[in-house]
Amino acid sequence: PQAPYRAQQLLEQMGQMANQISYNTVIQAFTRAGNPQQAEILLTQMMQQNIRPDDITISLILSGWSRIGTLNAAERAEQILQELMPLLGLQPSVVTYSGCLACWAKVKQPMAMQRAQALFDQLVQKQQQQQQKQPSDRTVNLKPDVVAY
């Protein structure tokens, strides 16, 4: 599809006027077109322009990897969640965990369910540490929707 590349050209023409929203819009165009690699290139360009990505940026990229539905895509999504987000100073949220869990849910291999369960358990643990009580309703409701095949 040519539309994402046209959107990227418009973004480049914006120059210094480009902001987080305009980058996120073009990143979303690439992820919807099934090209999360190009979305990650835009993420790099975004940071080079001193425009800080946010949870939405990361969620869009995770969504792109989810569309691919392969083991490598799920592993890349988890790497983004576990390694890139902390490097960016971002804390993984229920939304970003959901995006990563969606990637694992599409992998049709037995070990994928185990990885998804481990990731979900990590989310619950982080939620409990943050709240010092039981997981929120949002967290509990996440498990059957995303992890189940």
Side-chain angles (χ1 to χ4, degrees):
Q2 295 301 318
Y5 290 100
R6 178 68 183 126
Q8 184 177 9
Q9 288 174 342
L10 293 172
L11 180 68
E12 290 167 2
Q13 289 173 6
M14 290 177 72
Q16 295 296 325
M17 291 176 37
N19 60 25
Q20 186 184 70
I21 295 169
S22 53
Y23 269 95
N24 284 351
T25 301
V26 180
I27 286 170
Q28 183 177 37
F30 277 107
T31 60
R32 285 188 176 177
N35 192 344
Q37 298 91 339
Q38 188 62 36
E40 286 197 44
I41 290 169
L42 281 170
L43 172 64
T44 301
Q45 291 174 0
M46 181 181 187
M47 293 184 297
Q48 289 170 346
Q49 296 296 320
N50 293 320
I51 299 171
R52 191 172 192 275
D54 61 1
D55 278 2
I56 295 169
T57 312
I58 300 303
S59 295
L60 290 168
I61 292 171
L62 293 175
S63 170
W65 285 115
S66 176
R67 289 177 187 270
I68 304 299
T70 64
L71 176 62
N72 287 341
E75 288 174 339
R76 178 63 185 143
E78 189 168 343
Q79 184 180 26
I80 290 168
L81 182 80
Q82 304 283 9
E83 296 173 19
L84 181 61
M85 287 191 74
L87 286 175
L88 296 173
L90 298 171
Q91 291 295 317
S93 65
V94 171
V95 174
T96 53
Y97 268 97
S98 296
C100 192
L101 286 168
C103 290
W104 282 113
K106 291 186 178 182
V107 176
K108 302 301 180 196
Q109 296 181 18
M111 57 77 67
M113 184 63 171
Q114 295 168 344
R115 294 283 291 269
Q117 184 65 52
L119 199 60
F120 178 77
D121 292 344
Q122 184 181 63
L123 167 62
V124 171
Q125 182 181 22
K126 286 184 181 225
Q127 290 289 314
Q128 287 174 337
Q129 288 172 353
Q130 286 178 354
Q131 298 171 0
Q132 295 299 314
K133 60 180 184 178
Q134 294 299 318
S136 71
D137 290 340
R138 289 179 66 188
T139 305
V140 173
N141 290 335
L142 177 69
K143 188 174 183 177
D145 294 339
V146 177
V147 178
Y149 284 92

